[in-house]
Amino acid sequence: MKLKLNIDELTEDFFCDTRLLGIIASVKNYQFCWQLNRLMGYNFRLNPDIEIHLRKKERSYFFPVYQHAVRNSSLSHFLYHNHYDGEYLLPEFKHMDFLWLMKGDCVENNDCSEIIQTIKHIAGVQMVAELTNEKIRNKGHLVF
């Protein structure tokens, strides 16, 4: 008997109770994380264990993922870099430099709005917008 992994089901489970922000910012990913950590008291760190690896046109692309786990909570924040060597993690959002995923616990609207307002005050940030799950065609690319 052959078992088949249901990717759609896996992806839906992964995205249950998540919020996703798209960010346009002309700063390096490590500088952006440093500013988030300083302004918000977060502790974003590069997590090489969940780096996203995509193969396209017989080439490998690596998208770093930074992670911040909220103390005494199941909530974690993940910051993906959307570009790597001319390729995009989410091609439908090519204009977005970063993708911020909040996962593991429900994030209330006012908490999400507060995060968006704080990000907007970071030097080099041009835009922050919440991306709804329906608009994301390549959700599977964010699953680690």
Side-chain angles (χ1 to χ4, degrees):
M1 181 169 94
K2 198 182 229 184
L3 295 175
K4 189 171 187 268
L5 187 61
N6 185 335
I7 299 298
D8 292 337
E9 203 173 286
L10 184 74
T11 302
E12 282 310 308
D13 284 351
F14 183 86
F15 279 94
C16 185
D17 284 331
T18 62
R19 309 260 325 231
L20 183 67
L21 304 177
I23 302 162
I24 300 173
S26 58
V27 292
K28 300 273 184 217
N29 45 7
Y30 62 89
Q31 291 171 318
F32 187 55
C33 286
W34 181 83
Q35 290 198 55
L36 290 171
N37 291 344
R38 190 177 57 82
L39 278 174
M40 302 175 82
Y42 283 12
N43 190 24
F44 273 107
R45 294 282 178 253
L46 184 62
N47 186 341
D49 296 337
I50 58 175
E51 177 179 74
I52 306 296
H53 176 217
L54 294 181
R55 272 200 68 71
K56 290 184 178 183
K57 303 172 201 140
E58 297 183 28
R59 284 194 57 206
S60 289
Y61 297 92
F62 301 93
F63 299 89
V65 181
Y66 292 78
Q67 181 178 3
H68 163 71
V70 178
R71 276 201 185 119
N72 304 319
S73 167
S74 54
L75 179 64
S76 280
H77 297 268
F78 300 94
L79 190 68
Y80 302 77
H81 200 204
N82 194 34
H83 312 143
Y84 179 84
D85 201 21
E87 243 346 293
Y88 300 93
L89 187 58
L90 292 184
E92 62 270 35
F93 295 110
K94 285 182 179 170
H95 55 291
M96 297 294 180
D97 297 300
F98 299 99
L99 304 163
W100 180 323
L101 180 74
M102 295 168 242
K103 177 177 173 41
D105 204 351
C106 185
V107 176
E108 299 299 327
N109 286 338
N110 42 338
D111 294 336
C112 191
S113 296
E114 208 173 286
I115 289 170
I116 290 170
Q117 289 310 313
T118 303
I119 295 169
K120 285 180 178 179
H121 288 96
I122 293 176
V125 171
Q126 284 118 31
M127 191 189 99
V128 184
E130 185 162 9
L131 308 176
T132 58
N133 283 344
E134 302 78 53
K135 291 182 182 171
I136 306 167
R137 288 194 309 269
N138 294 287
K139 277 186 200 171
H141 290 181
L142 299 177
V143 177
F144 41 80

